[in-house]
């Protein structure tokens, strides 16, 4: 191992009951290098990172850091070595200020005034503008991420681990983040960058280590790879693109939203403001947007969980703004909420009961208050079979399925009710690439049969792949929609930031 | 070696059912210790408490007499608990059932007719529903916590009963004792086994268990209750109304508690007294949890907790222990049950050293 090597992992192995998360993984990261850790969901990236950060202990194998063998038993020790981590989910207190949040996360408590000065110093130096006195609830997701990054940088780390940092950022915010990361790397900091976005890795990283099903597939120099060769390494097979057939003549209007206004439910909620758009049969409409800009509220307004003035929403020619979810289902609407466990599905109930949950209206599974279980079981089995849901049987509890399988089940449950209109939020969030492709293909097939499809997603790649027309939601307002052929990432970035083009 | 708890990925089916058994064993152990501290011989005391009361057929019939209100209320409470509606004021709803049913019984004093008893039972149900309905209204209209309102209404109910039998409903020939007239025969529940106090109410309780089982397993209402308790957001998504579930579960549990109350006054008691229940409404909460919020489980749990009443009585008679011993055993059982329920979600592990 040369002087250049900062950390070297040797033959790490970690097994959980029923699965080997990491199997004989060795890799090294040099000083000042941005190293990508690439893999599908469930490939073992998180476990490996948790071992490095001391959250999880490896069963076998060893770690050398800075030339010395180390035993990283807990995150505090990892931090004392100079390892810092920015998690995908932030742990911030909304009601506290930036400085207070950072102070809470520090191992050694320092004087608040000094801390504020250092925060300003670091944020200016690395191009991460942030006011230490702002309250967190007033900040955007990108700004919140900056807090986490600055919290790490205050510890002068040698290795910075970033877990899917761009999944919640606008393209412009991503560019800024990359500038910062490059600057850190120029100053000699090593960065372990976890992602499955191939173009980002191409743009940012020098080397990449690819994991698949808990095993290391290869460590490669990114310069020698194309995005599709990286995808090939990650997936083990070439990606099949959904058959995208935009430009077909859209049919009649199935969903029409006019002057939709709904005030926020709580002080920190988002109000929907002056929303106007239409979705026609046979087309897929995409709504982009950074998390927390009213996506959840929009979905609930359309599916009837939130009510509004009757004539704001028209489904299949009927004004339904004042109707609840069941009436709207009768008129042909189905929906898939963003949160799977607890919203789209009941965690502790079987798949049969979860099928009954939304399918009972359109399929008449309940007569005179009595549940027809044999019909429900038939329906559940057909969803499991057609959508390739991996489960022991239809009696498995929803929370025993992996995220991807549960999503296939939920989407399948809605599609198999032969809807006129489907609204889907985050159709493939946290779903592995294979399942994501099959979900997208199923939605496209549904559109081809004449159903109107509305996709609300934060994943731009997905929206660009699927949609015929794209718009964005920002602070509760929905932008105009543009045909996919007239769209590019810069334009959508501006729409997501609320700038009309 | 240091024991610690590790979270299970899925909740354990085995421990869902084993937890009450383990809790019962721990209760016996703690009870034995308690007897020991009070210098009572342990083995005979436990025998007198748990075995002797049910060693005769009369004892068994008494077990059912005590279990009847516990089962009725426990079943209905478990429906509410499943939906996340915490009605802990069943005692008050029981008293209102007694007042309404007893009132109708007094109205038909010294009259005969097959319709009298059904009317009395119906009035009891309505009384319990009325009391629980107040709770539901406060919850859905003002978002008032039903734990507090239902509990506080219990005290109102007790005072209302006290007022009635000290005042307008006092037996005119009762030498000023605070009690109502003794109801006439056509107002009383028929005894179903000669020489015992076992009455028709026990049959009603079993029927209610079967109905509740069917409702929970097969109907839209039962499904809504389960969904709302487990994932309210999913319930809203499915088009269920949270308010409706609150109303339905409270009316059902109030109605069942009211039925239990009227069954007490026209069954074993036969008149209105200042106290018509030794805390059945509260004990039924323990019954619901020991029975795992399942109707059939509640049936068995009701019998078990009824035994704690009988055991308390025989311990008082034969060992000169205070009647409160029965309540202590009930409390211990709930205490250990809640502790043991940790094992449903966690597994106990021993770690080799290290903090």
């Amino acid at each position: 191992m040369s002087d250049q090597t900062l950390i070297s992992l040797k033959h790490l192995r970690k097994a959980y009951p029923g699965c080997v998360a990491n199997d004989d993984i060795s890799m090294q990261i040099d000083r000042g290098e941005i190293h990508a850790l690439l893999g599908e969901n469930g490939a073992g990236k998180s476990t490996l990172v948790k071992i490095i950060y001391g959250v999880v202990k490896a069963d076998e194998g060893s770690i050398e850091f800075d030339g010395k063998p180390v035993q990283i038993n807990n995150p505090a020790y990892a931090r004392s070595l100079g390892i810092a981590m920015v998690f995908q989910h932030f742990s911030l207190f909304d009601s506290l200020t930036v400085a207070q949040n950072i102070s809470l996360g520090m191992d050694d408590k320092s004087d608040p005034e000094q801390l504020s000065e250092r925060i300003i110093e670091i944020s200016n130096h690395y191009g991460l503008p942030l006011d230490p006195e702002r309250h967190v609830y007033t900040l955007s997701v990108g700004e919140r991420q900056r807090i986490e990054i600055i919290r790490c940088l205050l510890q002068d780390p040698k290795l910075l681990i970033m877990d899917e940092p761009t999944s919640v950022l606008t393209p412009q915010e991503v560019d800024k983040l990359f500038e910062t990361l490059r600057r850190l790397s120029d100053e000699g900091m090593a960065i372990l960058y976890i992602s499955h976005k191939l173009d980002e890795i191409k743009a940012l990283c020098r080397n990449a280590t690819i994991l698949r099903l808990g095993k290391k597939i290869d460590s490669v120099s990114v310069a020698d790879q194309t995005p599709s060769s990286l995808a090939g390494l990650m997936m083990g097979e070439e990606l099949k693109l959904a058959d995208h057939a935009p430009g077909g003549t859209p049919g009649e209007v199935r969903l029409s939203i006019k002057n939709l206004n709904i005030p926020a439910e709580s002080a920190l909620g988002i109000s929907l403001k002056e929303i106007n758009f239409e979705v026609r049969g046979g087309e897929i409409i995409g709504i982009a947007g950074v998390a927390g800009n009213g996506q959840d509220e929009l979905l609930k307004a359309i599916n009837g969980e939130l009510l509004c003035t009757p004539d704001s929403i028209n489904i299949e020619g009927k004004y339904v703004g004042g109707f609840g979810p069941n009436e709207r289902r009768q008129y042909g609407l189905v929906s898939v909420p963003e949160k799977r466990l607890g919203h789209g599905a009941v965690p502790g109930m079987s798949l049969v009961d979860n099928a009954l949950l939304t399918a009972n209206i359109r399929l008449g599974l309940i007569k005179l208050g009595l549940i027809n279980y044999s019909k429900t079981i038939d329906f559940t089995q057909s969803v499991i079979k057609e959508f390739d849901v991996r489960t022991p049987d239809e009696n498995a509890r929803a929370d025993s399925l992996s995220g991807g399988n549960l999503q296939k089940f939920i989407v399948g449950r809605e599609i198999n009710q032969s809807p006129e209109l489907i609204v889907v939020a985050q159709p493939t969030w946290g779903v592995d690439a294979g399942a994501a492709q099959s979900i997208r293909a199923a939605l496209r097939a549904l559109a081809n049969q004449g159903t109107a499809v509305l996709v609300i997603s934060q994943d731009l790649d997905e929206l660009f792949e699927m949609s015929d027309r794209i718009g964005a939601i920002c602070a509760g307002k929905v932008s105009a929609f543009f045909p996919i052929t007239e769209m590019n990432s810069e334009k959508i970035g501006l729409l997501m930031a609320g700038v009309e083009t | 070696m240091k024991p610690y708890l590790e979270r299970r990925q899925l909740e354990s089916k085995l421990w869902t059912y084993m937890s009450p058994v383990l809790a019962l064993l721990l209760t016996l152990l703690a009870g034995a210790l308690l007897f020991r501290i009070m210098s009572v011989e342990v083995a005979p005391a436990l025998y007198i408490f748990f075995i002797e009361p049910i060693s005769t057929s009369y004892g068994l019939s008494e077990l059912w007499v005590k279990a009847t209100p516990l089962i009725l209320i426990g079943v209905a409470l478990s429906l509410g608990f499943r939906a996340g509606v915490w009605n802990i004021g069943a005692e008050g709803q029981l008293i209102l059932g007694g007042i309404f049913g007893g009132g109708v019984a007094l109205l038909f004093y010294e009259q005969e007719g097959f319709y009298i008893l059904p009317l009395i039972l119906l009035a009891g149900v309505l009384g319990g529903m009325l009391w629980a309905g107040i709770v539901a209204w406060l919850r859905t209209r003002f978002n008032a916590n039903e734990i507090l309102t239902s509990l506080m209404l219990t005290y109102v109910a007790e005072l209302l009963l006290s007022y009635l039998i000290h005042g307008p409903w006092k037996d005119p020939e009762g030498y000023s004792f605070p009690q109502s007239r003794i109801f006439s025969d056509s107002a009383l529940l028929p005894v179903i086994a000669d020489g015992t106090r076992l009455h028709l109410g026990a049959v009603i309780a079993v029927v209610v268990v079967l109905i509740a089982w069917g409702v929970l397993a097969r109907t839209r209402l039962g499904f809504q209750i389960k969904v709302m308790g487990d994932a309210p957001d999913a319930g809203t998504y499915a088009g269920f109304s949270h308010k409706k579930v609150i109303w339905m579960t409270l009316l059902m549990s109030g109605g069942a508690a009211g039925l239990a109350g009227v069954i007490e006054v026209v069954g074993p008691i036969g008149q209105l007294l200042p106290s018509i229940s030794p805390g059945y409404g509260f004990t039924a909460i323990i019954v619901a949890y020991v029975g795992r919020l399942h109707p059939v489980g509640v049936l068995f749990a009701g019998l078990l907790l009824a035994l704690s009443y009988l055991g308390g009585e025989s311990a008082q008679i034969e060992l000169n222990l205070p009647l409160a011993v029965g309540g202590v055993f009930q409390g211990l059982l709930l205490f250990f049950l809640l502790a043991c329920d940790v094992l449903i979600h966690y597994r106990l592990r021993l770690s080799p050293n290290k903090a």
Side-chain angles (χ1 to χ4, degrees), chain B residues 166-199:
Chain B
H166 281 90
W169 290 1
K170 187 158 70 176
D171 183 356
E173 290 122 47
Y175 307 100
S176 238
F177 275 101
Q179 58 189 35
S180 75
R181 289 178 193 273
I182 293 174
F183 304 142
S184 18
D185 282 351
S186 56
L188 294 178
L189 278 174
V191 166
I192 55 175
D194 283 340
T196 71
R197 300 198 300 157
L198 188 62
H199 54 78

Side-chain angles (χ1 to χ4, degrees), chain A residues 303 305 325-326 329 335 337 342-344 346 348-349 353 356-358 366 369-371 373 397 399-400 413-414, chain B residues 9-11 13 216-223 226-227 230-240 347 354:
Chain A
N303 78 7
E305 289 180 65
N326 286 340
R329 284 198 179 96
S335 63
H343 195 181
V346 184
M349 284 188 155
D353 279 337
L356 184 67
L357 188 70
T358 65
I366 299 180
L370 290 176
I371 299 165
Y373 265 115
R397 282 167 51 131
D399 58 5
S400 72
R413 172 186 75 190
E414 302 304 322
Chain B
Q9 293 199 312
L10 288 177
E11 59 186 62
K13 265 225 163 79
L216 212 48
R218 289 279 154 184
T219 68
R220 185 201 306 265
L221 179 63
F223 186 65
K226 289 184 281 187
V227 170
D230 197 349
D233 286 347
T236 317
Y237 166 60
F240 303 155
R347 118 181 346 120
K354 262 208 332 170

Side-chain angles (χ1 to χ4, degrees), chain A residues 34-39 178 182 193-210 220 222-223 225 230 234:
Chain A
I34 305 184
H35 193 112
L37 186 58
L38 187 60
F178 281 11
R182 288 199 189 97
Y193 187 87
I194 302 166
S195 181
H196 51 233
K197 293 193 177 154
L198 306 167
D199 47 342
E200 286 180 4
I201 286 167
K202 269 302 272 181
L204 191 66
C205 304
R206 193 197 301 166
N207 294 309
T209 296
I210 297 114
V220 296
V222 172
Q225 300 287 328
L230 282 173
M234 182 168 87

Side-chain angles (χ1 to χ4, degrees), chain A residues 397 399, chain B residues 5-23 289-293 336-348:
Chain A
R397 282 167 51 131
D399 58 5
Chain B
L5 290 170
E6 180 187 88
R7 196 168 174 90
R8 295 176 195 269
Q9 293 199 312
L10 288 177
E11 59 186 62
S12 159
K13 265 225 163 79
L14 174 71
W15 278 102
T16 307
Y17 301 108
M18 282 306 290
S19 169
V21 177
L22 181 62
Y289 275 99
V290 174
R292 308 282 72 177
L293 305 183
F336 284 121
L337 181 74
L338 294 177
C340 292
D341 277 354
V342 167
L343 292 171
I344 297 172
H345 292 285
Y346 293 86
R347 118 181 346 120
L348 192 63

Side-chain angles (χ1 to χ4, degrees), chain A residues 250-326:
Chain A
E252 57 193 290
V253 174
R254 300 216 184 270
L255 170 69
S256 154
I257 298 184
K258 284 209 177 77
N259 301 324
L260 173 66
N261 285 289
I262 298 181
E265 282 179 292
S266 66
L268 300 182
I270 303 282
S271 333
L272 297 178
K273 295 168 208 128
E274 280 303 305
I275 294 177
N276 289 286
F277 66 89
E278 287 182 345
V279 190
R280 292 170 175 273
E283 67 173 351
I284 299 183
I285 299 288
I287 296 183
V290 175
N293 269 293
Q295 288 95 331
D296 222 23
E297 289 79 0
L298 179 61
L299 177 109
K300 287 182 176 176
I302 297 174
N303 78 7
E305 289 180 65
L306 282 177
L307 300 182
C308 55
T309 47
D311 52 1
S312 305
I313 298 184
N314 189 311
I315 293 173
E316 290 284 286
K318 287 147 203 117
Y319 291 109
V320 298
F323 293 157
N326 286 340

